[in-house]
Amino acid sequence: MSKLVVRAFSISLDGYGAALEQSLENPFGKGGMVLPQWAFPTRTFQKMFGKEDGETGVDEDFAGRSFENIGAWILGRNMFGPVRGPWPDDHWKGWWGDTPPYHVPVFVLTHHARPSIEMKGGTTFHFVTDGIDSALRQAREAAGGKDVRVGGGVATVRQYLAKRLIDEMHLAQTPVLLGSGESLFAGLDLAGLGYACTDRVSSARATHLTVTKQG
Amino acid sequence: MSKLVVRAFSISLDGYGAALEQSLENPFGKGGMVLPQWAFPTRTFQKMFGKEDGETGVDEDFAGRSFENIGAWILGRNMFGPVRGPWPDDHWKGWWGDTPPYHVPVFVLTHHARPSIEMKGGTTFHFVTDGIDSALRQAREAAGGKDVRVGGGVATVRQYLAKRLIDEMHLAQTPVLLGSGESLFAGLDLAGLGYACTDRVSSARATHLTVTKQG
């Protein structure tokens, strides 16, 4: 069955999925680029950067799996870019250049309508203005039986968790303290919502935690 | 040099050091007894329970080390017991029976004065009514050059961290979601205070994280 999943979602030791003050230079907020570092040396990410080599092992297992059987993505507006409010023009097309690493339809949550953008490599960005349920409906339709992955950011993941819509979530906890930022957990009673940690594997760079919806 | 340390302090995956609704039956709050489970099978804790055997390995390394070179303890009122407000009588003498596992002077933070209690095995409970700085001063004096350990609970550890008084903190993160409780991290900018995670070791039951004051 098609699942709604979160994969390779990096958090700090103190539970932050992003630092504050996101900008063009700091997609993860000021000081937040430390969060996804565990993934960059992996074969999956090195390939994405156009390199031939890359590490195998636990981190690669999780990085590789994070793109498996994904038929569509859902992204929050801030994960798509640093632009806020109405789109000033059609210039901004995501952080990822001409060929984004999605290769499937991507549904971007926003309050401001915008025509879809077809990118190279099979990625099309669709802009959804009528909420997370609509985005999920459209993404499931587009995914054709495959899983739908919520890419982030924190606020978007929290919204889907709060409605108990996420089936499985892989968190990569990096052993760093951010001190402030967007907390994945604060005020969100994941245990009460029926989520449990079902797996934990450590690598040299991260602790990989799998959180699964029970029952 | 004598250090102020936190050792074997258990937190959940979502950063809670205790669940809500502490009571006589639930010293760690309702559902919170899952937090320290990693420690109970260790040789150090089994000995404390009067058993001969007990596991060795990573968990035992941390459990054993948590009692090494400790000359005095500081406990918050709630870690000492579930009684709130003025002491109704002298009946309550801690969770630990006649022979508490401290074997050194223990300074209990409270707003309500009470005479010291000498227990079996070298533990004396002293009640400190004039704040955390006074408790630390008295504990350092009593420790005679050894380290002072802040036992908990969460609020007490946070107060000493916020004043940058803790030198080193060992957290045992249990892979469970509590969903609610007393958060160690919320609103406390440990990175900004100059703390960093300097070590991470995993066992089958917990991820052991060492947080150290920098500079």
Side-chain angles (χ1 to χ4, degrees), chain B residues 3 11 26 70 93 133 144 161 179 212:
Chain B
K3 287 188 294 189
I11 59 171
N26 295 305
I70 305 297
K93 292 173 182 175
D133 292 318
L161 284 168
T212 311

Side-chain angles (χ1 to χ4, degrees), chain B residues 6 59 70 88 109 116-117 120 123 137 147 151 154 165 209 211:
Chain B
V6 174
D59 292 334
I70 305 297
L109 296 160
S116 299
I117 316 172
K120 286 183 192 162
T123 300
R137 210 160 38 236
D147 294 338
V154 177
L165 291 168
L209 300 142
V211 170

Side-chain angles (χ1 to χ4, degrees), chain B residues 170-202:
Chain B
H170 158 229
L171 303 173
Q173 190 189 51
T174 305
V176 292
L177 292 164
L178 273 190
S180 61
E182 294 186 55
S183 171
L184 179 61
F185 301 115
L188 186 66
D189 183 351
L190 288 181
L193 286 162
Y195 288 95
C197 181
T198 50
D199 189 52
R200 178 180 54 112
V201 183
S202 276

Side-chain angles (χ1 to χ4, degrees), chain A residues 161-176:
Chain A
L161 284 169
K163 287 191 140 185
R164 241 184 146 265
L165 292 168
I166 305 284
D167 296 296
E168 200 178 272
M169 174 164 71
H170 158 229
L171 303 173
Q173 189 188 52
T174 305
V176 292

Side-chain angles (χ1 to χ4, degrees), chain A residues 38 42 44 55-66 68 170:
Chain A
W38 65 272
T42 64
T44 293
E55 292 181 11
T56 55
V58 170
D59 292 335
E60 167 56 23
D61 292 348
F62 280 94
R65 216 176 298 158
S66 77
E68 270 173 25
H170 158 229

